[in-house]
Amino acid sequence: MVVETEIIPFFEWLQLAVPFFLTVAVAVAVFALAASYLICAVRYGPLAGGDVVYRVVTTSIKEILQISPRRVFALAWLAIQESVRRRVLVVFAVFLAILLFAGWFLDNSSHDAGKLYLSFVLTATTYLVLLLALFLSVFSIPNDVKSRTIYTIVTKPVRPGEIVLGRVIGFSLVGTVVLLVMGISSYIFVFRSVNHTHEVVLLDDPELVEELPEGERFRTTTEQEHRHVIFEDADGNLATDFRNSHWHPISAEDSPEGTTYSVSPPEGTFTARVPIYGKLSFLDRAGRPASKGVNTGSEWMYRSFIEGGSAAAAIWRFPGITRERFPPEEFPDGIPFEMTLRVFRTYKGDVERGIPGSYVIRNPDKPDIQSSEQIFVAREFYTDRKFIPFELEDEKGNKLDLFEDLVSDGKLELAVKCLDPAQYFGMAQADVYLKADDAPFAMNFVKGYLSIWTQMVLVTGFGVMFSTFLNGAVAMIATLAAIIMGFFTKFVTDVATETVSGGGPIEALIRLLTQKNLVSPLEDTLGNRVAQLLDEGVMFVMVRMGYILPNFRQFDSSDYVANGYNIPWDLALQNLVATFGYLAAVFVAGFFFMKTREVAK
Amino acid sequence: MSATTEAAQAAAPSTPAAPEAIVQTRSLSKTYRDFWGRQKVRALKPLDLEVHRGEIFGLLGPNGSGKTTTIKLLLGLLFPTTGKALVFGKDSSDVSKNERIGYLPEESYLYRFLNAEETLDFYGRLFDMPAEVRKRRTQELIDMVGLNWAKRRQLKEYSKGMTRRIGLAQALINDPELIVLDEPTTGLDPIGTREMKDLIIKLRDEGKTVLMCSHLLADVQDVCDRIAILYQGELKELGRVDSLLKVDEVTEVRARGLSEEAKSEIREVIQRHQGELLSLDNPSTTLEELFLRIVRESEERPGARPQ
């Protein structure tokens, strides 16, 4: 799974986020005050205008403090009633229909059916719930204004903020219930679709023996287009091999008629792996340290590549390796680690065959102390599951103890090389990790839905805020624009800070029309200089927009659930706190728009 | 004029020397502008008005004369272009004034998906009223407007008159001191109109102040203590209804059981005093009176054709 930005611990994040939030809030407030004063000064004259702004600000502070929970909940209740009247329940029917069709078209025999099903239901739920939140939130206040029902509201002692807050809370509650029902039905749907079991095939079952190839006599029947080989572990427990991302435990029961075997439902399809990520560094082809590997031509610089058959290596340094963290009783085979490497082929060869590579475990302080080379075969899009045993051997066959000899200060290094000359391995920091633990999947599923919930609440908040001063359709477009901008916040900021080449939007347009490439400088003409000057203004605004708009991609952690990784609590909490930060901002903005507008025509 | 309203007007307290102003406008004006700030309509030219405690004040005028604009400015639904609107001495933009105001809009703009009970309970909650108070008040008002039989029905099933009644109940939920009624009798049948007028007078007798606007002259004449006549956004006339309507040079005599001789004697007396006889005949009752009498009699003796 792609992890582009590192997740920092929650409290560390909070120390950065709170000052940032306050700075932006103050900046926006100052800007808004200045803009309001300018408008009022034009309308009422410089002195009276100042008086108007002062009075609005002071009464607003008073009114925000006077918010009554009873009124807010009355308005929230009204929003819920309105949603029900506007046939919110249709969403359930649509969702059910989607699940039914999905049942036909999704392939539960795929090699990672769990991921397929999970990403499908999570995506479907996200889009449906966000659409629902959008439609509910943007039309409510404009409809009230149009039908003039708002007259009977604002002539009661209702504070403008309560109208905004009531709507946000009401529609969020509706969205929460919808999400809850969808979550539960998705969970059942995914589990039931992927669930299957096999029969054990034995030699003494005369009818099935015919089908068996020579030499194999103990395995399962074929279900969902796959079958398993059965193993017996050291304790005598029976289990199948790991195939299609799952395995089955098998229980045997002896009776006078013979042994009966029963295969349990699949395990390992739904996991929430807790990875320990290391710091990735590289050695170039001559074996000198480098911060990056080779770029094989991809514009996306996420992965770096190392050349095969050379001294080039990718080295991960993992922190926090202690005997307490990995007690041998719980990790009998050693510390598990998982590796998903990219393969870049300079010639095609047999694509079915993987590319051989090797890894060594080494001491970060004394790189000479390292284990013997372990050979593996890397295949595209395939996760290799391996172990670092507690007892290793170096090249000369000397025994090495993992914690005594290789771990230094809780750190351990893993160095990967590609063995095939003329082929490359590609890797990013998150591609190799130690698997510390498996968190409960159900909890992870809930966290995944929590991430959808935060997005739903954000859309609702923005929708209601825009609808306080725009009519329904325009408010919808504005909210959509905010969401789309939010999805590309990083790109917008990158363009604005010239992290990506090609200049600002106007310069980019000139390059597009004149078919110029992105890197060569523009000719020094007057027109171009004017364009670049204008761009600077646009980019100034873009950078500020990037500070204000929510980065929606950051809020979406459904990828974690689908790929079987535990969503770190740090991330979940960050998103939750950020959501409430945005809600506070949206509330204040909505309050002022509502307060300063004429409700009647 | 009906017996009840006459009696009520007679019982109305005479205006004290320095009446307390509940509503004040100070050169209040409103100009509608389009998106670009260009002037479109001058809906209200600078207006100075005072509504005193305990009176029924009527704003009178044809459609588009600025009555509703004035009311919207007073309630803070619109912002004045110039001048000030004060209610209870507070600026119209101050939300807290609404605690003591009840407002019945031109049409009852209520949520059609709620039923009568839910509607009143909802508006009660907007006044931050605790649950027991809301429950009691809701039932009282539903009984008062006579909708007990339909209190569980959604408002979208209501007839126009029923909607109007629940709208009125909604306006009274907080037991307001000032009641603002925008065209209170539109859409009501004669019985409803009469009940509405009786209720307005009853509210005044309870010490409340009523500000209403209407273009139905009969209604205004029947209930209002003072009126202001607006035309094209300008105040044309302001004063007490009885003094405004008094025709000094005409004398009206009404008597019962006069013989023909007595009538001719009266004619002679008028002639002797150089007066001009305008009319001397049997008065016809108003259609309103006739209609109400028929309904009343039908209720007393169902099935029989009224005499």
Side-chain angles (χ1 to χ4, degrees):
Chain A
M1 198 190 66
V2 174
V3 182
E4 281 192 271
T5 41
E6 237 176 292
I7 297 153
I8 58 174
F10 176 67
F11 286 104
E12 247 172 72
W13 173 84
L14 206 61
Q15 281 167 19
L16 298 172
V18 170
F20 181 76
F21 178 81
L22 293 177
T23 317
V24 174
V26 168
V28 172
V30 168
F31 174 77
L33 268 179
S36 326
Y37 174 70
L38 272 180
I39 294 171
C40 288
V42 169
R43 208 180 269 179
Y44 309 107
L47 272 178
D51 182 51
V52 168
V53 173
Y54 173 77
R55 265 190 294 128
V56 167
V57 171
T58 46
T59 53
S60 298
I61 293 169
K62 207 172 74 192
E63 279 175 8
I64 287 181
L65 294 176
Q66 281 170 339
I67 280 180
S68 130
R70 192 180 273 137
R71 278 197 291 267
V72 171
F73 282 103
L75 288 159
W77 172 84
L78 184 79
I80 294 170
Q81 294 288 318
E82 184 196 316
S83 315
V84 172
R85 181 193 59 121
R86 282 170 65 191
R87 313 257 185 279
V88 162
L89 300 175
V90 171
V91 174
F92 291 122
V94 172
F95 188 66
L96 212 66
I98 289 176
L99 285 193
L100 285 175
F101 278 106
W104 285 352
F105 293 116
L106 287 183
D107 179 12
N108 62 6
S109 61
S110 121
H111 83 99
D112 199 348
K115 180 183 168 182
L116 186 71
Y117 273 78
L118 281 174
S119 58
F120 178 79
V121 291
L122 286 164
T123 316
T125 311
T126 307
Y127 283 123
L128 267 179
V129 170
L130 292 194
L131 265 182
L132 177 77
L134 180 68
F135 274 94
L136 281 182
S137 59
V138 295
F139 289 112
S140 178
I141 292 178
N143 274 350
D144 259 20
V145 172
K146 213 156 121 193
S147 69
R148 302 184 184 182
T149 40
I150 195 105
Y151 287 13
T152 51
I153 303 290
V154 295
T155 51
K156 305 281 182 285
V158 174
R159 273 68 183 172
E162 291 164 344
I163 296 176
V164 176
L165 204 58
R167 290 291 195 296
V168 174
I169 291 177
F171 293 133
S172 297
L173 283 176
V174 172
T176 309
V177 171
V178 169
L179 201 57
L180 213 64
V181 174
M182 282 187 182
I184 293 168
S185 41
S186 299
Y187 195 80
I188 296 169
F189 169 74
V190 169
F191 259 85
R192 291 201 48 98
S193 307
V194 175
N195 193 17
H196 66 278
T197 159
H198 303 261
E199 304 259 318
V200 172
V201 180
L202 290 172
L203 186 63
D204 45 324
D205 189 337
E207 270 183 37
L208 289 164
V209 164
E210 302 294 315
E211 294 173 18
L212 282 171
E214 277 308 303
E216 284 193 31
R217 38 176 309 203
F218 201 50
R219 67 177 190 198
T220 68
T221 50
T222 304
E223 299 289 339
Q224 297 189 345
E225 295 175 31
H226 71 277
R227 60 188 177 193
H228 299 269
V229 179
I230 295 169
F231 292 107
E232 189 170 353
D233 72 5
D235 303 332
N237 293 325
L238 290 172
T240 70
D241 62 346
F242 193 82
R243 187 176 290 270
N244 279 14
S245 306
H246 70 270
W247 61 282
H248 303 263
I250 294 173
S251 57
E253 208 174 297
D254 289 315
S255 65
E257 292 98 58
T259 317
T260 47
Y261 298 94
S262 55
V263 181
S264 305
E267 286 191 15
T269 318
F270 302 109
T271 52
R273 288 165 285 183
V274 181
I276 296 179
Y277 291 114
K279 282 258 176 280
L280 174 62
S281 61
F282 290 92
L283 296 181
D284 68 9
R285 52 176 308 169
R288 288 179 302 240
S291 64
K292 272 195 172 153
V294 181
N295 187 343
T296 53
S298 167
E299 264 190 55
W300 191 33
M301 312 266 268
Y302 177 64
R303 289 199 170 81
S304 253
F305 288 77
I306 53 169
E307 192 182 338
S310 73
I315 301 157
W316 280 268
R317 179 180 290 196
F318 296 106
I321 317 288
T322 56
R323 221 183 279 273
E324 292 74 45
R325 183 87 194 255
F326 297 98
E329 311 83 65
E330 278 178 47
F331 296 88
D333 300 317
I335 301 174
F337 74 98
E338 299 190 337
M339 207 161 44
T340 316
L341 298 180
R342 278 297 151 91
V343 175
F344 179 79
R345 296 165 194 260
T346 52
Y347 65 91
K348 193 171 165 196
D350 181 1
V351 206
E352 292 289 304
R353 263 186 50 212
I355 304 293
S358 74
Y359 67 89
V360 296
I361 312 296
R362 40 182 239 183
N363 186 315
D365 292 333
K366 290 167 243 162
D368 300 340
I369 308 179
Q370 55 174 260
S371 70
S372 57
E373 262 190 318
Q374 307 289 313
I375 309 296
F376 66 93
V377 175
R379 276 178 286 169
E380 281 271 56
F381 308 113
Y382 182 82
T383 303
D384 237 339
R385 293 171 169 80
K386 299 205 174 296
F387 293 93
I388 304 172
F390 296 112
E391 304 273 316
L392 302 99
E393 281 180 4
D394 67 9
E395 271 166 281
K396 296 174 194 114
N398 300 324
K399 289 246 180 281
L400 291 173
D401 182 88
L402 182 69
F403 292 109
E404 298 290 321
D405 300 317
L406 294 171
V407 175
S408 149
D409 197 19
K411 294 192 174 69
L412 181 72
E413 278 188 356
L414 179 97
V416 173
K417 281 183 178 177
C418 175
L419 295 182
D420 194 339
Q423 308 289 37
Y424 291 76
F425 277 171
M427 59 274 293
Q429 191 156 285
D431 286 347
V432 176
Y433 52 86
L434 306 180
K435 202 182 94 176
D437 203 358
D438 269 324
F441 173 76
M443 192 63 227
N444 204 35
F445 192 78
V446 171
K447 280 191 267 183
Y449 272 79
L450 187 70
S451 87
I452 303 177
W453 184 85
T454 56
Q455 296 173 67
M456 182 270 296
V457 171
L458 278 177
V459 171
T460 308
F462 272 84
V464 171
M465 188 268 281
F466 281 120
S467 74
T468 52
F469 64 103
L470 298 171
N471 81 34
V474 184
M476 189 163 86
I477 292 169
T479 313
L480 266 179
I483 296 171
I484 292 169
M485 276 281 277
F487 263 106
F488 297 104
T489 320
K490 194 175 176 303
F491 179 70
V492 169
T493 319
D494 282 352
V495 169
T497 53
E498 296 187 78
T499 314
V500 291
S501 26
I506 304 172
E507 187 182 329
L509 184 69
I510 293 172
R511 285 178 191 276
L512 207 69
L513 293 177
T514 54
Q515 302 190 342
K516 285 249 164 53
N517 67 51
L518 287 177
V519 281
S520 57
L522 280 190
E523 285 164 45
D524 191 18
T525 62
L526 180 68
N528 285 344
R529 257 191 273 166
V530 170
Q532 280 168 335
L533 200 69
L534 287 176
D535 260 345
E536 272 181 34
V538 176
M539 281 146 86
F540 179 85
V541 176
M542 280 165 74
V543 174
R544 271 81 204 157
M545 291 294 276
Y547 290 150
I548 296 173
L549 289 173
N551 182 347
F552 262 83
R553 209 163 280 189
Q554 162 105 37
F555 283 95
D556 179 15
S557 23
S558 51
D559 257 6
Y560 282 87
V561 182
N563 286 306
Y565 293 98
N566 185 45
I567 300 171
W569 275 113
D570 286 321
L571 179 68
L573 284 176
Q574 284 173 24
N575 285 345
L576 211 59
V577 171
T579 303
F580 284 107
Y582 274 110
L583 280 187
V586 156
F587 164 71
V588 172
F591 172 89
F592 279 106
F593 288 131
M594 197 71 213
K595 183 169 177 58
T596 51
R597 78 171 283 183
E598 279 184 332
V599 173
K601 290 240 164 55
Chain B
M1 208 181 273
S2 77
T4 36
T5 46
E6 261 174 316
Q9 283 212 331
S14 54
T15 325
E20 185 193 349
I22 299 290
V23 176
Q24 276 176 297
T25 68
R26 293 184 193 150
S27 57
L28 181 70
S29 80
K30 179 70 189 173
T31 307
Y32 288 105
R33 292 175 190 279
D34 69 1
F35 179 77
W36 307 107
R38 288 177 302 193
Q39 182 172 323
K40 254 173 40 184
V41 194
R42 286 190 77 184
L44 191 64
K45 289 169 193 158
L47 174 72
D48 286 287
L49 269 187
E50 273 194 13
V51 178
H52 305 141
R53 180 179 290 279
E55 73 175 348
I56 302 176
F57 190 93
L59 283 170
L60 196 58
N63 290 330
S65 58
K67 311 180 298 273
T68 303
T69 302
T70 310
I71 282 183
K72 284 176 179 169
L73 286 166
L74 284 172
L75 292 167
L77 289 169
L78 291 173
F79 302 150
T81 308
T82 63
K84 262 190 170 199
L86 298 175
V87 183
F88 303 116
K90 290 178 178 172
D91 192 81
S92 60
S93 64
D94 189 342
V95 184
S96 63
K97 73 178 190 309
N98 294 349
E99 301 270 3
R100 295 146 76 189
I101 298 181
Y103 168 53
L104 173 68
E106 201 170 346
E107 278 166 50
S108 300
Y109 304 119
L110 302 171
Y111 291 94
R112 290 159 48 80
F113 49 88
L114 301 180
N115 66 35
E117 270 185 326
E118 287 170 337
T119 303
L120 294 183
D121 189 67
F122 168 67
Y123 289 111
R125 284 199 275 174
L126 295 188
F127 281 102
D128 218 347
M129 289 157 64
E132 350 34 288
V133 180
R134 290 199 309 264
K135 209 170 165 203
R136 185 167 46 76
R137 194 82 189 125
T138 300
Q139 194 50 53
E140 276 173 18
L141 287 167
I142 286 178
D143 287 339
M144 190 195 91
V145 296
L147 284 174
N148 203 27
W149 56 282
K151 63 179 181 184
R152 296 271 155 77
R153 273 165 58 182
Q154 288 196 330
L155 298 196
K156 64 177 167 209
E157 296 170 20
Y158 273 28
S159 70
K160 194 154 184 210
M162 291 159 78
T163 321
R164 210 69 197 135
R165 286 153 189 261
I166 191 70
L168 180 70
Q170 163 278 133
L172 298 177
I173 186 87
N174 56 329
D175 195 13
E177 287 171 46
L178 170 67
I179 298 142
V180 180
L181 306 166
D182 196 346
E183 305 284 358
T185 54
T186 40
L188 291 179
D189 59 19
I191 308 169
T193 308
R194 168 54 59 87
E195 283 173 357
M196 177 68 86
K197 288 194 271 190
D198 288 347
L199 181 79
I200 292 171
I201 288 160
K202 189 173 141 245
L203 289 169
R204 192 261 322 267
D205 293 347
E206 285 170 12
K208 300 182 193 313
T209 312
V210 179
L211 170 63
M212 60 179 274
C213 78
S214 181
H215 55 253
L216 300 175
L217 306 177
D219 295 347
V220 175
Q221 186 183 353
D222 281 357
V223 299
C224 289
D225 299 323
R226 287 202 307 142
I227 54 166
I229 297 176
L230 292 172
Y231 183 67
Q232 293 188 336
E234 226 170 336
L235 182 66
K236 296 288 182 194
E237 189 66 77
L238 176 72
R240 291 196 61 81
V241 175
D242 37 19
S243 57
L244 285 176
L245 296 185
K246 199 149 155 198
V247 187
D248 288 331
E249 68 269 22
V250 178
T251 311
E252 196 177 58
V253 177
R254 290 172 63 149
R256 194 195 295 270
L258 280 187
S259 61
E260 281 304 318
E261 294 102 75
K263 284 181 190 168
S264 52
E265 231 173 281
I266 290 171
R267 282 197 189 90
E268 280 166 28
V269 170
I270 292 170
Q271 260 173 4
R272 208 164 48 234
H273 289 275
Q274 281 86 41
E276 186 195 349
L277 181 69
L278 295 176
S279 75
L280 186 76
D281 48 20
N282 298 97
S284 57
T285 179
T286 60
L287 193 54
E288 187 186 357
E289 288 292 333
L290 175 70
F291 180 84
L292 289 174
R293 187 170 59 83
I294 292 172
V295 173
R296 220 176 294 129
E297 282 172 13
S298 310
E299 273 173 1
E300 278 162 20
R301 291 180 293 140
R305 192 187 165 96
Q307 306 296 302

